[in-house]
Amino acid sequence: INNSAFDIVGYVVNKVAQAFAKWIEKELLIGSSEKITGLSNATQIVTAAAATAITADELIDLQESVPDAYQAGAIWIMSKSTRTAIRKLKDKDGNYILNKDATAQWGYTLLGKPVYVSDSMPAMKSNSKAIYYGDMSGLAVKVSENVSIEILREKFATQHAIGVVGWMEIDSKIENQQKIAVLKMGA
């Protein structure tokens, strides 16, 4: 730290903050048993016929499982590999069903709704919850204590070093099951 023009402390703090963001995303999508459940307890489930493939009809069934009243703010959330598989699906006229859309925030729309990709989402494999669809305002998130990152100087002073620690308090549960649906892969 003392012998470098590079801001190593700022770099480490930034890496800790990025790790928090990834952890929060994973917890809200996948959850932890008996802790933050996130979207993992969705009760509107469409089960795919196959363990590693999705059909256009299954995507339509998933979208239709959310009532029309909640469609306005609906989005798709999936892994990159799932998006890649869906990009290869065509309708009966040979048109791809997942379209690049310059007006969409993340560049793709599927059946008229934005597509979001998360590294936290599982790939299409037996019994995995591969896609979430719906209005994510149905997920209640309680942040009791915001992310707090502190630099510890005293604790490591005898070693001529510093430490970085962070913590937060968060919980989430689905508060309106009608707003969110999940595509679960077959066995």
Side-chain angles (χ1 to χ4, degrees), residues 53-86:
I54 296 173
T55 67
D57 288 347
E58 291 164 344
L59 294 171
I60 291 168
D61 289 344
L62 181 63
Q63 187 175 45
E64 288 297 318
S65 66
V66 173
D68 290 349
Y70 304 122
Q71 290 286 341
I75 63 169
W76 301 90
I77 303 173
M78 61 190 70
S79 70
K80 187 174 182 179
S81 63
T82 302
R83 183 185 67 190
T84 300
I86 294 171

Side-chain angles (χ1 to χ4, degrees), residues 43 47 57 74 82 85 103 130 149 179 185:
T43 57
T47 303
D57 288 347
T82 302
T103 64
I149 299 174
K179 290 185 176 184
M185 301 309 296

Side-chain angles (χ1 to χ4, degrees), residues 82-146:
T82 302
R83 183 185 67 190
T84 300
I86 294 171
R87 285 186 68 192
K88 297 175 184 178
L89 292 177
K90 297 179 184 178
D91 64 17
K92 65 179 179 168
D93 297 324
N95 300 312
Y96 291 105
I97 66 166
L98 179 64
N99 301 305
K100 279 198 169 252
D101 184 349
T103 64
Q105 184 174 4
W106 299 103
Y108 289 96
T109 57
L110 175 61
L111 303 174
K113 300 298 178 184
V115 177
Y116 292 82
V117 169
S118 171
D119 292 336
S120 297
M121 287 295 291
M124 295 184 303
K125 63 182 183 208
S126 181
N127 292 314
S128 71
K129 293 179 178 178
I131 301 174
Y132 289 113
Y133 175 79
D135 181 345
M136 297 304 142
S137 70
L139 179 68
V141 179
K142 177 185 175 192
V143 179
S144 301
E145 184 178 344
N146 284 325

Side-chain angles (χ1 to χ4, degrees), residues 159-175:
Q159 300 160 341
H160 196 59
I162 65 168
V164 177
V165 66
W167 61 88
M168 74 176 301
E169 289 183 31
I170 185 171
D171 195 7
S172 74
K173 295 203 182 325
I174 296 176
E175 61 88 19

Side-chain angles (χ1 to χ4, degrees), residues 27-28 30-32 35-41 171-174:
E27 292 299 315
L28 294 179
I30 309 303
S32 299
K35 292 185 181 179
I36 299 172
T37 58
L39 296 173
S40 66
N41 287 339
D171 195 7
S172 74
K173 295 203 182 325
I174 296 176

Side-chain angles (χ1 to χ4, degrees), residues 23-34:
W23 177 81
I24 292 167
E25 179 178 312
K26 179 188 167 291
E27 292 299 315
L28 294 179
L29 293 173
I30 309 303
S32 299
S33 91
E34 299 184 26

